[in-house]
Amino acid sequence: PISARSIGGIHIRDVLAAIAVEHEEVIDKFGGHAMAAGLSIEPEQLERFEALFDETTARLGADVLNQVRVLYTDGPLHEDDLTVENAKLLREHGPWGQGFPEPLFDDTFEVLERGTVGKGFLRYKLRKPGCKKVIAGICFDPPGGESSPDPKNEIHAVYRLAVNDYAGRQTAQLILEHIL
């Protein structure tokens, strides 16, 4: 079984229905609605399904996929607000989801250190210009992938404030959603 979520303007069930009608042998069964769906597929059909899904989504959602996406943030956080306590407050005051997104912030940071961790994730040590506090940042989907060029010494990032639970110790970290 595979589950899917959509973005505004792409009716995910219609995408699956189009694939099922045009390529009967690919999907065993499916169901859902505009924003979420599920399907059953044989493992040997997965690669073909992925290609058909990309093609069908591009065809049915071309207008949406070609639009410029707008990203709303709550602006910058003061360096004194980049704390574990505030990250916990944000985590506990959900639930976050469609129509009620988790708060995003943006700011400019000096890059003190950059490296990779895990499966090509980018790890940063950052500091707001003119400030003393150093904070960790991680980007799970780096622009250009793991081989993205090193930023100069400053980035503008859209981020979520989060708690990093590692080795029994909790620290504040920034989940870097977009690096500009």
Side-chain angles (χ1 to χ4, degrees):
I2 299 172
S3 63
R5 300 270 183 219
S6 192
I7 60 173
I10 306 264
H11 193 299
I12 194 72
R13 190 198 169 283
D14 286 355
V15 170
L16 296 177
I19 294 170
V21 166
E22 296 167 15
H23 306 276
E24 296 175 7
E25 70 284 359
V26 175
I27 297 175
D28 292 335
K29 61 183 177 177
F30 71 96
H33 52 82
M35 296 306 290
L39 67 141
S40 294
I41 188 170
E42 295 298 323
E44 59 271 10
Q45 292 291 341
L46 186 58
E47 191 172 318
R48 184 159 182 230
F49 170 76
E50 288 173 347
L52 290 168
F53 182 83
D54 289 347
E55 174 188 308
T56 306
T57 302
R59 184 177 41 143
L60 295 179
D63 291 342
V64 172
L65 296 174
N66 291 326
Q67 291 177 5
V68 174
R69 295 183 67 188
V70 176
L71 186 63
Y72 295 99
T73 74
D74 293 292
L77 286 175
H78 189 274
E79 80 170 310
D80 294 337
D81 294 327
L82 299 174
T83 65
V84 171
E85 294 75 20
N86 284 339
K88 287 179 180 179
L89 284 171
L90 288 169
R91 180 175 64 191
E92 293 165 2
H93 283 84
W96 310 111
Q98 187 162 346
F100 194 56
E102 185 173 355
L104 287 175
F105 306 95
D106 73 284
D107 212 338
T108 301
F109 296 94
E110 294 176 41
V111 177
L112 304 176
E113 189 178 306
R114 178 182 180 266
T116 57
V117 64
K119 297 178 181 181
F121 307 140
L122 294 181
R123 174 191 51 77
Y124 291 88
K125 282 190 181 174
L126 303 168
R127 178 176 58 206
K128 293 176 72 151
C131 297
K132 294 180 181 180
K133 183 174 188 163
V134 174
I135 188 161
I138 188 161
C139 184
F140 294 111
D141 188 20
E146 178 179 348
S147 63
S148 64
D150 279 331
K152 296 184 178 166
N153 56 357
E154 198 171 84
I155 60 172
H156 191 92
V158 175
Y159 61 93
R160 291 183 292 114
L161 181 61
V163 177
N164 181 19
D165 285 305
Y166 182 72
R169 188 167 171 244
Q170 293 186 327
T171 57
Q173 75 173 351
L174 307 180
I175 306 295
L176 305 176
E177 299 289 347
H178 301 279
I179 299 173
L180 311 169

